[in-house]
């Protein structure tokens, strides 16, 4: 049988109530379109909804049905039951889903959670490394035909890797692509539209890409051709924007730094002016932060810079708070107070007010200090998209550059290519 | 007839091919939810698609059908024909749509454009000031029922004004709001499901509500009846959860505090352990923060608490870092260093590790100090939904309670009602 048409069902009451916006329709439809599928409909329904009729109606015209959501332990187990009903099979315990869930939550598996390991008989479970609900895939017989059906969890951070790693290769096979695999990258400080444009510029025939914005980073997925050729495309991108802004795999910007510190069993502290605690917060988002993070000073006022960090009044008067000199004294100040191995500092104009011709909104100085090592400062100029964006980008840039400083790289070389930030 | 359920059909091949992301689903569903509608499904289809069956199927269960797209002169005129067919009426020239179009494009109206002025007979045209395609609204008879149906152009800049100015008031009328007015509140620390449950409990007949989650707060919209009756409902809610957690208007939690400080021309500083800079960041999200915020210490480690805030080693040894004693010394410590009018402190167990029977994950102490005023500390126990949630709730609670402290309220009275956090 030829698989050519597809439908997507997105299940979530928070979507039909407009609490959150759907994140799956575009990702799924663009990838399927690239594979050659025709997407006939995408349907969003509440998780207490009557999806049955819509779903069974589309089995007559669609070759592939993709479902997301409705797999949680507290939901009405909508998805599993509906697929079982349509395929006319019972729900049975899937051993590998059960074991994965048990490894994750232990004895709490008994009760509501248990049903997360129950799958329609004959369907194959798909591991979910980021959550408790396994996905599953298989076929629903419809007369002479056999409709491919796959179900994935709703949260994007669980659905995305499952979709790209497991589901897309399967769908590629079904439509006749034999070799299908993809590589994931994390990109920082680049606007999504810019990343799109750069991909279009360097993508060789046979490689498709997809992007997903995630607050502090944009994920980039390269699909098709060989791993080697995908890496070549990533290298072409890196040659345009600098290697620091595109890293392999699924990595949050803070993890770039904290993984490095953990591996070296070293510590850091920070001194922040315009970001005022943002970096300190990011460095402690993960549990276990005390092994690498001592603490930080949110020195928003000049008085705080002087009192908490020992920044000299003369420095502030002569160069201003947004200057390499001030960034340098801030980093050295918190290093001295904390006794950590490294220290970073940020001082800049976040806006909307406070900019000038000489120091426009979006200008940020970052500084790095360590015992027995030369303090380094770097000036960055962000295209200003407002206060939120400048503070976010300044924090991400400081996290990236701190890792470079620790590794002994020359920071000016690193930022020289950052022409798109 | 009662109008209560709604479906949305979004027509556009560029959506099912993933070229662009849908922009209508969330806007429409959130507004309809606020009016009290239940959105039963949202369907995205290509503009050469077979929408007929999906649309006619939903006429049996839905009271309102909203369509966007498929009205352009180059499309297959999908929407107009489908609605005419379902309503069993011919397409006829609508005089006001024709005149508006003629005023816009003159003699070019003849040809393909002409059909843009053809509407299902008995339907009323809706002017489109931003484009050539008029919208239309009317009723489709289905047995004894009469389903409301409205069609709007696809581009957001044409659809949005039409939806908010013309369609929403009509839908409000249909669901029984004669006076379409609403009151907005901001709620803090309450889970959306809990807020929903409380509203259901106290809502008098004639008042509907809608909620929207926004990271640090949930907006609550009360719709229907009189302003006075809506305020009464808000008071009933406040009597259940405490007045501090439901405030009038669209207010971010940090603004509760910063507006107060600005009005008094006073300043604050903060000392944070488990939130590590989160509050310092929130207090500077807005421009002009330097008038109220001096700075803060993210004292994640005990060493940082001692060195930056002067917390006594004996206090940490005797009571631990998560204690009223430590919160008190942290607040007094930063007050002394900063010389601000007020200081707040936070220390708690954010998890996932570090909890114990005595001090479980989610236990947070907050402290408040001021010159010449008694330092106050309060213990909070958040239902733990993980590290992100505990840190967010601790920050929001500290911002709310700081305002109460400044106003001289007894903090224990304030938190006594916080049984749902």
């Amino acid at each position: 049988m030829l698989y050519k048409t597809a439908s997507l069902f997105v299940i979530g009451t928070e979507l039909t109530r407009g609490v959150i916006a759907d994140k799956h329709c575009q990702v799924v439809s663009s990838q399927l379109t690239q594979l050659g599928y025709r997407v006939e409909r995408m349907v969003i329904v509440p998780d207490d909804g009557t999806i049955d009729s819509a779903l069974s109606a589309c089995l007559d015209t669609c070759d592939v049905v993709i479902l997301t959501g409705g797999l949680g332990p507290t939901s009405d187990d909508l998805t599993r039951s509906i697929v079982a009903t349509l395929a006319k099979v019972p729900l049975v315990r899937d051993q590998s889903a059960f074991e994965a869930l048990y490894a994750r939550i232990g004895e709490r598996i008994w009760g509501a959670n248990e049903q997360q390991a129950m799958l329609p008989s004959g369907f194959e479970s798909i591991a979910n490394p980021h959550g408790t609900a396994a996905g599953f895939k298989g076929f629903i017989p419809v007369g002479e035909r056999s409709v491919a059906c796959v179900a994935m969890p709703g949260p994007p951070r669980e659905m995305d890797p499952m979709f790209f790693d497991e589901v897309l290769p399967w769908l590629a096979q079904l439509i006749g692509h034999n070799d299908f695999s993809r590589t994931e990258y994390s990109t920082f400080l680049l606007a999504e539209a810019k990343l799109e444009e750069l991909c279009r510029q360097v993508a060789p025939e046979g490689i498709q890409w997809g992007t997903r914005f995630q607050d502090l980073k944009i994920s980039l997925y390269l699909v098709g051709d060989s791993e080697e050729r995908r890496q070549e495309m990533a290298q072409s991108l890196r040659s345009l924007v600098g290697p620091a802004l595109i890293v392999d795999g699924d990595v949050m910007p803070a993890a770039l730094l904290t993984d490095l510190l953990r591996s070296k069993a070293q510590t850091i502290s920070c001194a922040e002016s315009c970001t005022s605690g943002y970096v300190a917060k990011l460095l402690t988002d993960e549990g276990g932060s005390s092994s690498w993070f001592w603490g930080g000073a949110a020195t928003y006022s000049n008085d705080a810079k002087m009192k908490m960090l020992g920044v000299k009044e003369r420095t502030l008067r002569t160069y201003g708070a947004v200057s390499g000199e001030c960034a340098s004294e801030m980093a050295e100040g918190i290093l001295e107070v904390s006794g950590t191995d490294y220290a970073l500092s940020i001082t800049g104009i976040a806006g909307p007010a406070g900019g000038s011709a000489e120091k426009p909104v979006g200008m940020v100085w970052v500084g790095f200090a360590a015992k027995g090592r030369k303090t380094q400062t770097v000036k960055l100029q962000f295209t200003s998209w407002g206060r939120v964006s400048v503070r976010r980008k300044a924090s991400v840039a400081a996290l990236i550059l701190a890792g470079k400083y620790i590794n002994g790289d020359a920071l000016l070389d690193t930022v020289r290519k950052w022409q798109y930030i």
Side-chain angles (χ1 to χ4, degrees), chain A residues 27 80 119-120 133 151 157 192 271 284 334 356 384 399 403:
Chain A
V27 170
R80 281 178 283 265
L119 303 185
R157 68 179 288 276
E192 200 165 12
T284 55
I334 195 71
S356 64
S384 170
L399 292 167

Side-chain angles (χ1 to χ4, degrees), chain A residues 15-30:
Chain A
L15 298 166
T16 55
R17 292 178 59 82
V19 177
I20 57 173
D22 156 71
K23 301 252 194 277
H24 298 319
C25 284
Q26 196 188 5
V27 170
V28 170
S29 60
S30 64

Side-chain angles (χ1 to χ4, degrees), chain A residues 6 15 28 85 103 127 135 138 151 162 194 203 223 248 263 277-278 326 342 392:
Chain A
L15 298 166
V28 170
T85 305
M162 193 181 287
K194 191 72 214 175
V223 183
D248 292 346
S263 74
Y278 204 159
C326 182
Y342 306 99
R392 184 160 56 202

